[in-house]
């Protein structure tokens, strides 16, 4: 993803949303925030994605995470479309705001333009981009999917949990990690430091190299 990338501060853009106007920094406040774009309203994959996000709203709220959807359609279109999303996902309400971007300024600045997708007038459309923004308003993780591939919101939740745990405990999470499973001690932490940081102990994997870099602990 060229442009906005990991570690960058999210630009403080003014956005019009289904919940009114706001500036991104005001919306984020001091919370973890997920900003996710979709190519367009009233399209099939997007309807399933936003419905799934709505179904997971409680999960995100428990982790004190705010959500913000975004596409180029206007707010009135979003409000009409929400009725379809909720009908498709019974029992779920779209309680998170969806931002509008008819001028395509926000998707450019947030690095969410899909060069392969255009509307009937030849205007750019957003990719399925997703930024997880930390309470410091910096980008901690980005996904970039094409229009044809709906995102897995379980993976969004899993990645978020990894980020939050890493920020809190200075750990890292292994491939296919799931919440509750052992975590890894990063290479920047010496064994001496690890003993202080993780009084619960840690296990070092014996490896042919005899290097002690694969260390698991539980947090
Ligand atoms: C969809 O959401 O289904 C979609 C949107 C734009 C292009 C292709 C698929």
């Amino acid at each position: 993803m060229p442009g906005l990338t990991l570690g960058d501060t999210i630009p403080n853009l003014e956005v019009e949303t289904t919940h009114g106007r706001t500036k991104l920094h005001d919306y984020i406040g001091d919370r973890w925030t997920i900003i996710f774009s979709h190519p367009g309203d009233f399209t099939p994959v997007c309807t399933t994605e936003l419905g799934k996000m709505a179904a997971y709203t409680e999960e995100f709220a428990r982790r004190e995470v705010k959500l913000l959807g975004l596409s180029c359609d206007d707010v009135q279109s979003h409000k009409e479309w929400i009725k379809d999303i909720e009908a498709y996902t019974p029992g779920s309400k779209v309680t998170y705001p969806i931002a509008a971007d008819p001028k395509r300024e926000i998707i450019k600045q947030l690095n969410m333009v899909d060069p392969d997708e255009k509307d009937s007038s030849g205007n750019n459309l957003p990719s399925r981009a997703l930024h997880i923004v930390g309470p410091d308003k910096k980008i901690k993780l980005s996904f970039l999917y094409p229009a044809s591939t709906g995102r897995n919101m379980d993976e969004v939740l899993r990645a978020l949990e990894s980020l939050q745990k890493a920020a809190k405990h200075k750990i890292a999470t292994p491939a296919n990690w799931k919440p509750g499973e052992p975590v890894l001690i990063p290479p920047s932490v010496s064994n001496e430091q690890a003993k202080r940081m993780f009084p619960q102990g840690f296990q070092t994997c014996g490896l042919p190299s005899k290097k002690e870099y694969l260390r698991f602990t539980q947090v």
Side-chain angles (χ1 to χ4, degrees):
M1 232 200 254
L4 201 67
T5 189
L6 297 184
D8 289 346
T9 300
I10 201 94
N12 192 17
L13 306 173
E14 183 153 354
V15 290
E16 193 188 353
T17 82
T18 47
H19 294 193
R21 289 189 86 78
T22 185
K23 293 192 94 175
L24 288 181
H25 287 196
D26 293 337
Y27 183 69
I28 295 165
D30 59 359
R31 297 290 185 86
W32 289 82
T33 302
I34 299 177
I35 305 176
F36 57 105
S37 61
H38 59 275
D41 298 358
F42 302 101
T43 54
V45 178
C46 302
T47 301
T48 63
E49 283 194 323
L50 273 79
K52 200 53 96 175
M53 269 299 194
Y56 284 25
T57 304
E58 277 303 304
E59 294 284 349
F60 289 114
R62 278 203 292 125
R63 293 160 180 84
E64 304 202 334
V65 175
K66 297 179 87 169
L67 303 174
L68 178 64
L70 167 69
S71 82
C72 295
D73 301 285
D74 61 31
V75 161
Q76 193 50 41
S77 165
H78 291 339
K79 286 182 175 168
E80 287 298 318
W81 181 42
I82 283 171
K83 296 175 200 161
D84 285 1
I85 299 170
E86 291 179 346
Y88 174 73
T89 323
S92 299
K93 291 273 170 223
V94 178
T95 54
Y96 54 83
I98 307 175
D101 186 21
K103 294 189 179 150
R104 273 83 178 151
E105 281 161 7
I106 299 161
I107 59 166
K108 278 188 205 126
Q109 295 214 44
L110 296 187
N111 203 14
M112 291 171 152
V113 176
D114 185 337
D116 290 336
E117 292 295 331
K118 307 261 191 257
D119 68 13
S120 52
S121 308
N123 297 314
N124 280 119
L125 289 173
S127 55
R128 298 189 192 284
L130 181 150
H131 298 305
I132 302 186
V133 183
D136 59 359
K137 302 178 181 68
K138 291 186 195 297
I139 295 191
K140 307 299 180 188
L141 178 148
S142 294
F143 289 162
L144 189 54
Y145 280 42
S148 58
T149 306
R151 288 160 284 194
N152 183 334
M153 301 313 170
D154 283 327
E155 173 58 9
V156 176
L157 202 54
R158 190 197 75 91
L160 174 83
E161 293 229 8
S162 167
L163 290 169
Q164 290 187 326
K165 254 192 202 309
K168 187 168 176 194
H169 300 287
K170 294 198 176 8
I171 52 81
T173 58
N176 289 19
W177 174 83
K178 292 196 198 70
E181 291 181 353
V183 298
L184 287 164
I185 300 173
S188 56
V189 177
S190 70
N191 275 341
E192 282 314 305
Q193 290 169 319
K195 282 178 200 155
R196 286 196 297 277
M197 288 167 65
F198 308 105
Q200 67 275 37
F202 59 92
Q203 290 78 48
T204 306
C205 284
L207 296 168
S209 67
K210 307 266 189 281
K211 294 183 195 290
E212 298 183 342
Y213 60 89
L214 200 47
R215 298 167 296 173
F216 285 93
T217 190
Q218 198 83 46
V219 292

